[in-house]
Short mmCIF file of all heavy atoms in Angstrom, two decimals:
data_model
loop_
_atom_site.label_atom_id
_atom_site.label_comp_id
_atom_site.label_asym_id
_atom_site.label_seq_id
_atom_site.Cartn_x
_atom_site.Cartn_y
_atom_site.Cartn_z
N ILE A 55 -3.32 11.06 -27.58
CA ILE A 55 -3.69 10.55 -26.29
C ILE A 55 -3.41 11.56 -25.16
O ILE A 55 -4.17 11.70 -24.19
CB ILE A 55 -2.91 9.23 -25.99
CG1 ILE A 55 -3.51 8.14 -26.85
CG2 ILE A 55 -2.96 8.85 -24.49
CD1 ILE A 55 -2.70 6.96 -26.99
N LEU A 58 -6.51 13.79 -25.42
CA LEU A 58 -7.70 13.09 -24.88
C LEU A 58 -7.57 13.02 -23.36
O LEU A 58 -8.65 13.18 -22.70
CB LEU A 58 -7.80 11.69 -25.47
CG LEU A 58 -8.30 11.61 -26.92
CD1 LEU A 58 -8.27 10.15 -27.40
CD2 LEU A 58 -9.67 12.21 -26.95
N THR A 59 -6.36 12.80 -22.86
CA THR A 59 -6.23 12.72 -21.39
C THR A 59 -6.48 14.10 -20.75
O THR A 59 -7.18 14.15 -19.76
CB THR A 59 -4.69 12.25 -21.06
OG1 THR A 59 -4.52 11.03 -21.75
CG2 THR A 59 -4.64 12.08 -19.59
N GLU A 61 -8.38 16.42 -22.07
CA GLU A 61 -9.88 16.57 -22.22
C GLU A 61 -10.72 15.86 -21.18
O GLU A 61 -11.60 16.40 -20.65
CB GLU A 61 -10.33 16.11 -23.55
CG GLU A 61 -10.13 17.01 -24.73
CD GLU A 61 -10.93 18.26 -24.72
OE1 GLU A 61 -11.83 18.45 -23.87
OE2 GLU A 61 -10.58 19.14 -25.56
N GLY A 62 -10.20 14.68 -20.87
CA GLY A 62 -11.01 13.82 -19.89
C GLY A 62 -10.80 14.14 -18.49
O GLY A 62 -11.70 13.85 -17.62
N GLY A 63 -9.69 14.78 -18.13
CA GLY A 63 -9.40 15.04 -16.73
C GLY A 63 -10.03 16.32 -16.26
O GLY A 63 -9.81 17.41 -16.84
N GLY A 208 -4.05 -1.09 -9.20
CA GLY A 208 -4.42 0.04 -9.98
C GLY A 208 -5.41 1.04 -9.33
O GLY A 208 -5.77 2.03 -9.93
N SER A 304 1.38 10.90 -21.28
CA SER A 304 1.08 9.45 -21.10
C SER A 304 0.93 8.74 -22.35
O SER A 304 0.88 7.50 -22.33
CB SER A 304 -0.20 9.37 -20.21
OG SER A 304 -1.31 9.97 -20.85
N GLY A 305 0.73 9.43 -23.44
CA GLY A 305 0.58 8.81 -24.75
C GLY A 305 1.78 7.97 -25.14
O GLY A 305 1.65 7.06 -25.98
N GLN A 307 3.03 5.62 -23.73
CA GLN A 307 2.83 4.26 -23.43
C GLN A 307 2.16 3.45 -24.59
O GLN A 307 2.19 2.32 -24.64
CB GLN A 307 1.93 4.10 -22.12
CG GLN A 307 2.68 4.51 -20.93
CD GLN A 307 1.80 4.52 -19.71
OE1 GLN A 307 1.40 3.52 -19.19
NE2 GLN A 307 1.42 5.74 -19.26
N ILE A 308 1.53 4.23 -25.48
CA ILE A 308 0.86 3.68 -26.65
C ILE A 308 1.71 4.02 -27.94
O ILE A 308 1.87 3.16 -28.81
CB ILE A 308 -0.62 4.05 -26.80
CG1 ILE A 308 -1.41 3.37 -25.68
CG2 ILE A 308 -1.17 3.68 -28.19
CD1 ILE A 308 -2.86 3.49 -25.78
N PHE A 311 4.34 1.47 -29.38
CA PHE A 311 4.02 0.36 -30.34
C PHE A 311 4.72 0.75 -31.65
O PHE A 311 5.50 -0.14 -32.23
CB PHE A 311 2.51 0.29 -30.69
CG PHE A 311 1.58 -0.07 -29.54
CD1 PHE A 311 2.15 -0.13 -28.21
CD2 PHE A 311 0.31 -0.44 -29.74
CE1 PHE A 311 1.30 -0.58 -27.21
CE2 PHE A 311 -0.52 -0.80 -28.66
CZ PHE A 311 0.01 -0.86 -27.41
N ARG A 326 15.15 -10.07 -43.81
CA ARG A 326 14.10 -10.73 -44.63
C ARG A 326 14.39 -10.57 -46.13
O ARG A 326 14.24 -11.59 -46.82
CB ARG A 326 12.72 -10.09 -44.26
CG ARG A 326 11.58 -11.06 -44.54
CD ARG A 326 10.31 -10.42 -44.42
NE ARG A 326 10.16 -9.28 -45.35
CZ ARG A 326 9.30 -8.26 -45.14
NH1 ARG A 326 8.52 -8.25 -44.11
NH2 ARG A 326 9.25 -7.37 -46.02
N THR A 422 11.11 -10.58 -37.71
CA THR A 422 10.34 -9.39 -37.26
C THR A 422 9.24 -9.75 -36.36
O THR A 422 9.16 -9.15 -35.21
CB THR A 422 9.57 -8.77 -38.54
OG1 THR A 422 10.57 -8.72 -39.62
CG2 THR A 422 9.01 -7.45 -38.21
N ALA A 423 8.41 -10.75 -36.71
CA ALA A 423 7.22 -11.01 -35.78
C ALA A 423 7.67 -11.45 -34.39
O ALA A 423 7.15 -11.05 -33.38
CB ALA A 423 6.32 -12.16 -36.46
N ILE A 427 6.79 -9.42 -31.03
CA ILE A 427 5.99 -10.01 -29.99
C ILE A 427 6.77 -10.07 -28.70
O ILE A 427 6.21 -9.80 -27.59
CB ILE A 427 5.51 -11.41 -30.43
CG1 ILE A 427 4.47 -11.26 -31.55
CG2 ILE A 427 5.01 -12.24 -29.28
CD1 ILE A 427 3.90 -12.58 -32.00
N PHE A 430 6.86 -6.51 -27.34
CA PHE A 430 5.49 -6.13 -26.86
C PHE A 430 5.12 -6.83 -25.49
O PHE A 430 4.58 -6.27 -24.64
CB PHE A 430 4.55 -6.55 -28.01
CG PHE A 430 3.16 -6.02 -27.90
CD1 PHE A 430 2.88 -4.66 -28.17
CD2 PHE A 430 2.08 -6.85 -27.42
CE1 PHE A 430 1.63 -4.17 -28.03
CE2 PHE A 430 0.84 -6.29 -27.30
CZ PHE A 430 0.62 -5.04 -27.62
N THR A 431 5.62 -8.07 -25.41
CA THR A 431 5.32 -8.83 -24.09
C THR A 431 5.96 -8.11 -23.00
O THR A 431 5.36 -7.85 -21.96
CB THR A 431 5.82 -10.24 -24.32
OG1 THR A 431 5.22 -10.88 -25.43
CG2 THR A 431 5.42 -11.11 -23.09
N VAL A 434 4.77 -4.05 -22.81
CA VAL A 434 3.30 -3.72 -22.67
C VAL A 434 2.53 -4.77 -21.86
O VAL A 434 1.87 -4.39 -20.91
CB VAL A 434 2.63 -3.56 -24.06
CG1 VAL A 434 1.15 -3.17 -23.90
CG2 VAL A 434 3.41 -2.50 -24.90
N VAL A 435 2.66 -5.99 -22.25
CA VAL A 435 1.72 -7.03 -21.68
C VAL A 435 2.02 -7.42 -20.23
O VAL A 435 1.18 -7.42 -19.41
CB VAL A 435 1.64 -8.25 -22.57
CG1 VAL A 435 0.52 -9.19 -21.99
CG2 VAL A 435 1.27 -7.79 -23.98
N ILE A 436 3.40 -7.61 -20.00
CA ILE A 436 3.70 -7.99 -18.63
C ILE A 436 3.41 -6.82 -17.58
O ILE A 436 2.72 -7.07 -16.55
CB ILE A 436 5.26 -8.41 -18.47
CG1 ILE A 436 5.31 -9.79 -19.11
CG2 ILE A 436 5.66 -8.44 -17.04
CD1 ILE A 436 6.68 -10.35 -19.16
N LEU A 438 1.05 -4.74 -17.92
CA LEU A 438 -0.39 -4.73 -17.91
C LEU A 438 -0.93 -5.82 -16.93
O LEU A 438 -1.75 -5.57 -16.08
CB LEU A 438 -0.99 -4.89 -19.30
CG LEU A 438 -2.46 -4.95 -19.43
CD1 LEU A 438 -2.98 -3.58 -19.10
CD2 LEU A 438 -2.87 -5.31 -20.77
N VAL A 439 -0.36 -7.11 -17.09
CA VAL A 439 -0.81 -8.11 -16.22
C VAL A 439 -0.52 -7.77 -14.75
O VAL A 439 -1.33 -7.95 -13.86
CB VAL A 439 -0.13 -9.45 -16.62
CG1 VAL A 439 -0.50 -10.58 -15.67
CG2 VAL A 439 -0.64 -9.85 -18.04
N GLN A 441 -0.26 -4.91 -13.47
CA GLN A 441 -1.11 -3.84 -13.08
C GLN A 441 -2.52 -4.29 -12.67
O GLN A 441 -3.07 -3.81 -11.76
CB GLN A 441 -1.22 -2.83 -14.24
CG GLN A 441 -1.40 -1.44 -13.75
CD GLN A 441 -1.56 -0.50 -14.99
OE1 GLN A 441 -2.57 -0.43 -15.51
NE2 GLN A 441 -0.42 0.20 -15.34
N VAL A 442 -3.07 -5.30 -13.38
CA VAL A 442 -4.42 -5.72 -13.12
C VAL A 442 -4.43 -6.78 -12.04
O VAL A 442 -5.52 -7.12 -11.51
CB VAL A 442 -5.18 -6.21 -14.35
CG1 VAL A 442 -5.32 -5.07 -15.32
CG2 VAL A 442 -4.55 -7.44 -14.98
N THR A 443 -3.30 -7.39 -11.67
CA THR A 443 -3.40 -8.43 -10.70
C THR A 443 -2.86 -8.14 -9.34
O THR A 443 -3.50 -8.58 -8.36
CB THR A 443 -2.60 -9.70 -11.21
OG1 THR A 443 -1.21 -9.32 -11.45
CG2 THR A 443 -3.21 -10.25 -12.49
N SER A 444 -1.79 -7.31 -9.24
CA SER A 444 -1.25 -7.13 -7.83
C SER A 444 -0.53 -5.90 -7.72
O SER A 444 0.24 -5.48 -8.54
CB SER A 444 -0.34 -8.37 -7.52
OG SER A 444 0.74 -8.01 -6.77
N ALA A 447 3.33 -6.52 -7.42
CA ALA A 447 3.89 -6.95 -8.73
C ALA A 447 4.02 -5.77 -9.68
O ALA A 447 5.00 -5.52 -10.36
CB ALA A 447 3.11 -8.01 -9.42
N VAL B 38 0.87 -15.37 -10.42
CA VAL B 38 -0.09 -14.34 -9.99
C VAL B 38 -0.61 -14.60 -8.63
O VAL B 38 -0.72 -13.90 -7.75
CB VAL B 38 -1.24 -14.11 -10.98
CG1 VAL B 38 -2.36 -13.36 -10.38
CG2 VAL B 38 -0.73 -13.41 -12.29
N THR B 41 1.74 -13.68 -5.92
CA THR B 41 1.77 -12.27 -5.48
C THR B 41 0.54 -11.82 -4.69
O THR B 41 0.52 -10.65 -4.25
CB THR B 41 1.83 -11.40 -6.76
OG1 THR B 41 0.61 -11.57 -7.48
CG2 THR B 41 2.98 -11.74 -7.67
N GLN B 42 -0.45 -12.65 -4.52
CA GLN B 42 -1.64 -12.28 -3.82
C GLN B 42 -1.48 -12.37 -2.28
O GLN B 42 -0.77 -13.30 -1.84
CB GLN B 42 -2.80 -13.12 -4.20
CG GLN B 42 -3.18 -12.98 -5.74
CD GLN B 42 -3.44 -11.49 -6.16
OE1 GLN B 42 -4.15 -10.84 -5.50
NE2 GLN B 42 -2.76 -11.11 -7.23
N LEU B 62 -8.26 -13.75 -11.24
CA LEU B 62 -6.77 -13.45 -11.04
C LEU B 62 -5.88 -14.68 -11.54
O LEU B 62 -4.97 -14.39 -12.26
CB LEU B 62 -6.50 -13.17 -9.64
CG LEU B 62 -6.88 -11.79 -9.14
CD1 LEU B 62 -6.66 -11.66 -7.62
CD2 LEU B 62 -5.93 -10.72 -9.81
N SER B 65 -5.54 -14.89 -15.25
CA SER B 65 -5.08 -13.73 -16.01
C SER B 65 -3.87 -13.99 -16.92
O SER B 65 -3.43 -13.15 -17.59
CB SER B 65 -4.72 -12.50 -15.08
OG SER B 65 -4.01 -13.03 -13.95
N TYR B 68 -4.00 -12.94 -20.69
CA TYR B 68 -3.47 -11.62 -21.24
C TYR B 68 -2.18 -11.88 -22.07
O TYR B 68 -1.86 -11.26 -22.95
CB TYR B 68 -3.18 -10.64 -20.20
CG TYR B 68 -4.39 -10.11 -19.45
CD1 TYR B 68 -5.02 -10.69 -18.42
CD2 TYR B 68 -4.92 -8.85 -19.81
CE1 TYR B 68 -6.08 -10.21 -17.73
CE2 TYR B 68 -5.99 -8.24 -19.20
CZ TYR B 68 -6.58 -8.91 -18.12
OH TYR B 68 -7.62 -8.43 -17.45
N LEU B 69 -1.36 -12.83 -21.50
CA LEU B 69 -0.11 -13.13 -22.10
C LEU B 69 -0.29 -14.20 -23.13
O LEU B 69 0.31 -14.16 -24.30
CB LEU B 69 0.89 -13.59 -21.06
CG LEU B 69 1.69 -12.58 -20.25
CD1 LEU B 69 2.27 -13.20 -18.99
CD2 LEU B 69 2.70 -12.07 -21.14
N LEU B 72 -1.00 -13.89 -26.85
CA LEU B 72 0.08 -13.53 -27.78
C LEU B 72 0.62 -14.72 -28.53
O LEU B 72 0.96 -14.71 -29.73
CB LEU B 72 1.20 -12.71 -27.10
CG LEU B 72 0.89 -11.27 -26.87
CD1 LEU B 72 1.99 -10.63 -26.00
CD2 LEU B 72 0.83 -10.49 -28.24
N LEU B 75 -1.98 -15.95 -30.92
CA LEU B 75 -1.96 -15.09 -32.06
C LEU B 75 -0.72 -15.52 -32.98
O LEU B 75 -0.89 -15.54 -34.23
CB LEU B 75 -1.77 -13.63 -31.56
CG LEU B 75 -1.75 -12.36 -32.26
CD1 LEU B 75 -2.04 -11.29 -31.34
CD2 LEU B 75 -0.40 -12.13 -32.83
N ALA B 76 0.38 -15.80 -32.40
CA ALA B 76 1.62 -16.07 -33.15
C ALA B 76 1.37 -17.34 -33.90
O ALA B 76 1.65 -17.51 -35.14
CB ALA B 76 2.80 -16.21 -32.30
N HIS B 87 5.13 -16.70 -47.44
CA HIS B 87 6.57 -16.38 -47.48
C HIS B 87 7.35 -17.70 -47.25
O HIS B 87 7.60 -18.04 -46.08
CB HIS B 87 6.88 -15.42 -46.41
CG HIS B 87 6.54 -14.07 -46.71
ND1 HIS B 87 7.27 -13.30 -47.61
CD2 HIS B 87 5.40 -13.35 -46.34
CE1 HIS B 87 6.65 -12.11 -47.76
NE2 HIS B 87 5.52 -12.09 -47.10
N TYR B 183 1.00 -10.76 -44.62
CA TYR B 183 2.31 -10.58 -43.96
C TYR B 183 2.18 -10.97 -42.50
O TYR B 183 1.28 -10.46 -41.80
CB TYR B 183 2.89 -9.25 -44.03
CG TYR B 183 3.36 -8.86 -45.41
CD1 TYR B 183 2.65 -8.04 -46.31
CD2 TYR B 183 4.62 -9.32 -45.81
CE1 TYR B 183 3.14 -7.79 -47.54
CE2 TYR B 183 5.13 -9.05 -47.11
CZ TYR B 183 4.40 -8.28 -47.96
OH TYR B 183 4.87 -7.95 -49.21
N GLN B 184 3.10 -11.82 -41.95
CA GLN B 184 3.04 -12.24 -40.61
C GLN B 184 3.10 -11.05 -39.63
O GLN B 184 2.23 -10.90 -38.71
CB GLN B 184 4.22 -13.15 -40.37
CG GLN B 184 4.20 -13.90 -39.01
CD GLN B 184 5.45 -14.73 -38.74
OE1 GLN B 184 6.54 -14.31 -39.21
NE2 GLN B 184 5.35 -15.69 -38.02
N ALA B 185 4.06 -10.13 -39.83
CA ALA B 185 4.29 -9.09 -38.88
C ALA B 185 3.07 -8.17 -38.90
O ALA B 185 2.60 -7.63 -37.89
CB ALA B 185 5.53 -8.33 -39.18
N ALA B 188 0.07 -9.88 -37.24
CA ALA B 188 0.29 -9.96 -35.79
C ALA B 188 0.11 -8.61 -35.08
O ALA B 188 -0.56 -8.49 -34.11
CB ALA B 188 1.62 -10.61 -35.44
N ALA B 192 -2.81 -7.54 -32.45
CA ALA B 192 -2.38 -7.13 -31.18
C ALA B 192 -2.92 -5.71 -30.87
O ALA B 192 -3.41 -5.42 -29.79
CB ALA B 192 -0.80 -7.13 -31.02
N ALA B 193 -2.83 -4.89 -31.84
CA ALA B 193 -3.41 -3.55 -31.71
C ALA B 193 -4.86 -3.49 -31.40
O ALA B 193 -5.35 -2.78 -30.53
CB ALA B 193 -3.01 -2.63 -32.95
N TYR B 196 -5.15 -5.12 -27.68
CA TYR B 196 -4.69 -4.27 -26.57
C TYR B 196 -4.95 -2.82 -26.66
O TYR B 196 -5.07 -2.14 -25.68
CB TYR B 196 -3.25 -4.47 -26.42
CG TYR B 196 -2.82 -5.86 -25.97
CD1 TYR B 196 -2.37 -6.83 -26.88
CD2 TYR B 196 -2.90 -6.27 -24.63
CE1 TYR B 196 -2.04 -8.14 -26.49
CE2 TYR B 196 -2.60 -7.53 -24.24
CZ TYR B 196 -2.17 -8.46 -25.18
OH TYR B 196 -1.82 -9.74 -24.75
N GLY B 197 -5.12 -2.26 -27.87
CA GLY B 197 -5.26 -0.83 -28.02
C GLY B 197 -6.47 -0.32 -27.30
O GLY B 197 -6.29 0.53 -26.35
N PHE B 199 -8.24 -1.65 -25.07
CA PHE B 199 -8.13 -2.03 -23.64
C PHE B 199 -7.28 -1.05 -22.87
O PHE B 199 -7.62 -0.53 -21.81
CB PHE B 199 -7.58 -3.51 -23.48
CG PHE B 199 -7.56 -4.03 -22.15
CD1 PHE B 199 -8.66 -4.71 -21.59
CD2 PHE B 199 -6.47 -3.83 -21.30
CE1 PHE B 199 -8.62 -5.22 -20.35
CE2 PHE B 199 -6.43 -4.36 -20.04
CZ PHE B 199 -7.54 -5.05 -19.54
N LEU B 200 -6.07 -0.77 -23.47
CA LEU B 200 -5.17 0.17 -22.78
C LEU B 200 -5.76 1.58 -22.81
O LEU B 200 -5.63 2.30 -21.83
CB LEU B 200 -3.83 0.15 -23.53
CG LEU B 200 -2.94 -1.08 -23.30
CD1 LEU B 200 -1.73 -0.99 -24.18
CD2 LEU B 200 -2.54 -1.05 -21.80
N ALA B 201 -6.38 1.98 -23.92
CA ALA B 201 -6.91 3.26 -24.04
C ALA B 201 -7.90 3.58 -22.93
O ALA B 201 -7.96 4.59 -22.32
CB ALA B 201 -7.50 3.51 -25.39
N ARG B 203 -8.09 2.20 -20.14
CA ARG B 203 -7.42 2.31 -18.75
C ARG B 203 -6.65 3.62 -18.61
O ARG B 203 -6.52 4.15 -17.49
CB ARG B 203 -6.46 1.14 -18.56
CG ARG B 203 -7.07 -0.14 -18.39
CD ARG B 203 -6.02 -1.24 -18.11
NE ARG B 203 -5.32 -0.94 -16.85
CZ ARG B 203 -5.82 -1.39 -15.74
NH1 ARG B 203 -6.86 -2.13 -15.62
NH2 ARG B 203 -5.19 -1.21 -14.60
N LEU B 204 -6.07 4.06 -19.76
CA LEU B 204 -5.21 5.23 -19.68
C LEU B 204 -5.82 6.54 -19.77
O LEU B 204 -5.51 7.44 -18.99
CB LEU B 204 -4.28 5.11 -20.93
CG LEU B 204 -2.82 5.52 -20.75
CD1 LEU B 204 -2.15 4.64 -19.72
CD2 LEU B 204 -2.09 5.34 -22.11
N ILE B 205 -6.85 6.68 -20.66
CA ILE B 205 -7.41 7.98 -20.90
C ILE B 205 -8.66 8.21 -19.96
O ILE B 205 -9.47 7.38 -19.92
CB ILE B 205 -7.85 8.07 -22.35
CG1 ILE B 205 -6.72 7.85 -23.26
CG2 ILE B 205 -8.47 9.47 -22.64
CD1 ILE B 205 -7.12 7.65 -24.72
N PRO B 206 -8.62 9.20 -19.22
CA PRO B 206 -9.82 9.51 -18.32
C PRO B 206 -10.97 9.86 -19.23
O PRO B 206 -10.90 10.70 -20.06
CB PRO B 206 -9.37 10.64 -17.45
CG PRO B 206 -8.32 11.33 -18.16
CD PRO B 206 -7.69 10.29 -19.01
N MET B 207 -12.09 9.21 -19.00
CA MET B 207 -13.36 9.53 -19.76
C MET B 207 -14.57 9.29 -18.89
O MET B 207 -14.48 8.58 -17.94
CB MET B 207 -13.41 8.73 -21.05
CG MET B 207 -13.01 7.27 -20.94
SD MET B 207 -13.14 6.53 -22.58
CE MET B 207 -11.48 5.73 -22.70
N MET B 221 -11.13 -7.45 -26.53
CA MET B 221 -10.46 -8.06 -25.38
C MET B 221 -11.21 -7.78 -24.05
O MET B 221 -11.37 -8.72 -23.29
CB MET B 221 -9.01 -7.39 -25.31
CG MET B 221 -8.20 -8.02 -24.20
SD MET B 221 -6.50 -7.55 -24.44
CE MET B 221 -5.85 -7.57 -22.76
#
Side-chain angles (χ1 to χ4, degrees):
Chain A
I55 290 166
L58 284 176
T59 306
E61 278 295 349
S304 60
Q307 289 173 75
I308 290 187
F311 295 10
R326 204 188 60 201
T422 314
I427 288 181
F430 191 74
T431 307
V434 180
V435 185
I436 288 180
L438 179 68
V439 174
Q441 212 181 76
V442 298
T443 56
S444 141
Chain B
V38 166
T41 66
Q42 300 303 313
L62 282 173
S65 47
Y68 290 86
L69 273 165
L72 277 172
L75 183 159
H87 284 283
Y183 285 102
Q184 191 186 26
Y196 292 99
F199 186 88
L200 286 174
R203 289 185 66 85
L204 214 61
I205 303 167
M207 43 182 127
M221 182 168 156

